[in-house]
């Protein structure tokens, strides 16, 4: 098991977990509710984290982290599965979950 991502913003942590789940990468969130313990715990120890359960997925998981934070300069794309329009920052279709085909 390896930690892939840590951030104090639970929304970003969950967004990455959903992206990894959509790509079939086995993962889980650690310290999901520990942020309420700040004061008893250091802020560093209380940040929510995304961990992968199989180290073989390390490269693909890191690519997902990079794509999550990459600057989006592209254009909107249309899903080949459901024909829904998606923002350029989306790696998967928000409507049906189909992965964007570059």
């Amino acid at each position: 098991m390896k930690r892939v991502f840590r951030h104090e913003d639970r929304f970003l942590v969950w967004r990455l977990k959903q992206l990894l789940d959509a790509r079939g990468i086995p993962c889980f969130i650690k310290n999901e509710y520990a942020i309420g313990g700040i004061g008893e715990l250091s802020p560093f120890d209380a940040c929510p984290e995304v961990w992968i359960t199989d180290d073989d997925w390390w490269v693909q998981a890191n690519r997902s982290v990079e794509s999550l934070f990459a600057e989006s300069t592209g254009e909107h794309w249309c899903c080949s599965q459901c024909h829904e329009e998606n923002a350029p920052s989306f790696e998967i279709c928000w409507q049906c979950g189909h992965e964007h085909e570059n």
Side-chain angles (χ1 to χ4, degrees), residues 2-18:
K2 287 187 179 182
R3 184 182 70 213
V4 177
F5 181 69
R6 171 191 298 193
H7 202 278
E8 64 274 357
D9 184 348
R10 288 189 333 188
F11 174 74
L12 288 175
V13 171
W14 269 101
R15 193 167 155 203
L16 177 62
K17 184 186 182 318
Q18 291 173 337

Side-chain angles (χ1 to χ4, degrees), residues 45-78:
D45 293 331
C47 279
E49 304 171 341
V50 177
W51 286 64
I52 56 172
T53 58
D54 184 348
D55 293 352
D56 292 340
W57 289 98
W58 177 251
V59 173
Q60 293 89 336
N62 276 311
R63 285 186 191 142
S64 297
V65 172
E66 290 170 5
S67 70
L68 183 63
F69 291 102
E71 288 294 322
S72 175
T73 58
E75 296 184 16
H76 283 71
W77 57 276
C78 185

Side-chain angles (χ1 to χ4, degrees), residues 21-53:
D21 285 342
R23 292 181 175 177
I25 300 173
C27 63
F28 66 96
I29 295 179
K30 184 177 175 184
N31 299 334
E32 182 176 2
Y33 302 107
I35 200 135
I38 291 181
E40 297 292 322
L41 300 170
S42 76
F44 184 75
D45 293 331
C47 279
E49 304 171 341
V50 177
W51 286 64
I52 56 172
T53 58

